[in-house]
Amino acid sequence: MGRVAVVTGGTRGIGRAISVALKEAGHTVAAVYHGNDAAAAAFTAETGIATYKWDVADYEACQAGMATVAADLGPVDIVVNNAGITRDGTLMKMSHDDWDRVIATNLGSCFNMAKAAFPGMVERKFGRIVNIGSINGQAGQYGQVNYAAAKSGIHGFTKALAQEGARHGITVNAIAPGYIDTDMVAAVPPPVLEKIIAKIPAGRLGKAEEIARGVVFLVAEDAGFVTGATMSINGGQHMY
């Protein structure tokens, strides 16, 4: 059964792969983006997936944006909170704005989007929320106190909201990707990237499509007994 799905950060990298995979699984997808209009237009032209522009760190923008998606496409039953940014630096060098912006975009957006979608899901007795965390939210990472805190917060947010949603037929799960072959990882200096790959038992970076397959599973109709879980997709780099 096809549902309406919203994917934040849905036009590039992991989000793009998720959007495409959900469409291929029969869902109607709205891909949310914030910055690059040209890239979003090219994405729609190539995939046929509708794009919507708003800042997921803005609570009111999420309320308005989700209402627009529902009016255009129908009730939203699937939300994938994938949007994320980095503003790396050691604590001594990190500005307060760098802290605030990463927390607001990576973690605050999960609250904003869930708050907009949850009442309708409760009413319809069905919902699927998938939050994209990170291996660095599980294990920490030097120079990323903001990013690691936000992603770690996502895992706690997921477990708490799963308890609220379970009796309403709403599942809330997280995926914690390891190092995936995206533009964000491509920006890592080659010598550093080589050291990272050397610590991955699988011996390579992950593919965005591998994360997308996890999302497709978690949002399926018959995945209703999986909730409050974190699926680690990291090539064996971090196990617990």
Side-chain angles (χ1 to χ4, degrees), residues 34-130:
H34 183 219
N36 194 324
D37 293 327
F43 168 82
T44 297
E46 181 180 343
T47 66
I49 295 172
T51 57
Y52 293 80
K53 184 178 184 178
W54 74 77
D55 181 2
V56 293
D58 184 326
Y59 176 83
E60 296 299 337
C62 289
Q63 291 286 324
M66 289 289 277
T68 299
V69 171
D72 290 350
L73 306 178
V76 176
D77 286 329
I78 298 169
V79 173
V80 182
N81 288 309
N82 167 74
I85 61 171
T86 57
R87 297 288 186 274
D88 293 350
T90 60
L91 179 68
M92 294 288 286
K93 296 180 180 179
M94 185 176 292
S95 70
H96 191 262
D97 183 66
D98 287 342
W99 168 269
D100 275 353
R101 189 61 191 172
V102 169
I103 296 295
T105 299
N106 297 16
L107 178 58
S109 62
C110 293
F111 172 84
N112 295 342
M113 294 294 293
K115 186 76 171 177
F118 209 75
M121 293 178 175
V122 169
E123 182 179 339
R124 293 184 298 277
K125 299 296 182 184
F126 181 91
R128 298 285 187 265
I129 298 174
V130 181

Side-chain angles (χ1 to χ4, degrees), residues 3-21:
R3 303 273 185 173
V4 175
V6 174
V7 182
T8 68
T11 64
R12 299 173 62 191
I14 291 174
R16 176 192 176 92
I18 293 169
S19 294
V20 170

Side-chain angles (χ1 to χ4, degrees), residues 57-235:
D58 184 326
Y59 176 83
E60 296 299 337
C62 289
Q63 291 286 324
M66 289 289 277
T68 299
V69 171
D72 290 350
L73 306 178
V76 176
D77 286 329
I78 298 169
V79 173
V80 182
N81 288 309
N82 167 74
I85 61 171
T86 57
R87 297 288 186 274
D88 293 350
T90 60
L91 179 68
M92 294 288 286
K93 296 180 180 179
M94 185 176 292
S95 70
H96 191 262
D97 183 66
D98 287 342
W99 168 269
D100 275 353
R101 189 61 191 172
V102 169
I103 296 295
T105 299
N106 297 16
L107 178 58
S109 62
C110 293
F111 172 84
N112 295 342
M113 294 294 293
K115 186 76 171 177
F118 209 75
M121 293 178 175
V122 169
E123 182 179 339
R124 293 184 298 277
K125 299 296 182 184
F126 181 91
R128 298 285 187 265
I129 298 174
V130 181
N131 304 311
I132 306 300
S134 171
I135 187 175
N136 291 345
Q138 297 172 313
Q141 180 60 272
Y142 182 90
Q144 285 195 326
V145 292
N146 49 5
Y147 185 84
K151 292 298 187 177
S152 180
I154 283 174
H155 298 304
F157 174 88
T158 296
K159 293 175 183 179
L161 188 58
Q163 294 180 48
E164 296 182 28
R167 63 192 174 95
H168 300 292
I170 303 167
T171 67
V172 187
N173 293 289
I175 291 178
Y179 285 85
I180 307 301
D181 190 8
T182 62
D183 290 343
M184 184 181 291
V185 172
V188 175
V192 176
L193 190 57
E194 288 176 8
K195 292 179 181 178
I196 290 171
I197 294 174
K199 295 179 180 179
I200 302 173
R204 63 174 176 86
L205 298 175
K207 300 176 182 179
E209 292 76 15
E210 292 174 306
I211 308 304
R213 281 194 285 275
V215 173
V216 170
F217 164 70
L218 290 173
V219 305
E221 301 283 324
D222 56 1
F225 205 57
V226 182
T227 195
T230 294
M231 181 186 293
S232 294
I233 305 178
N234 59 37

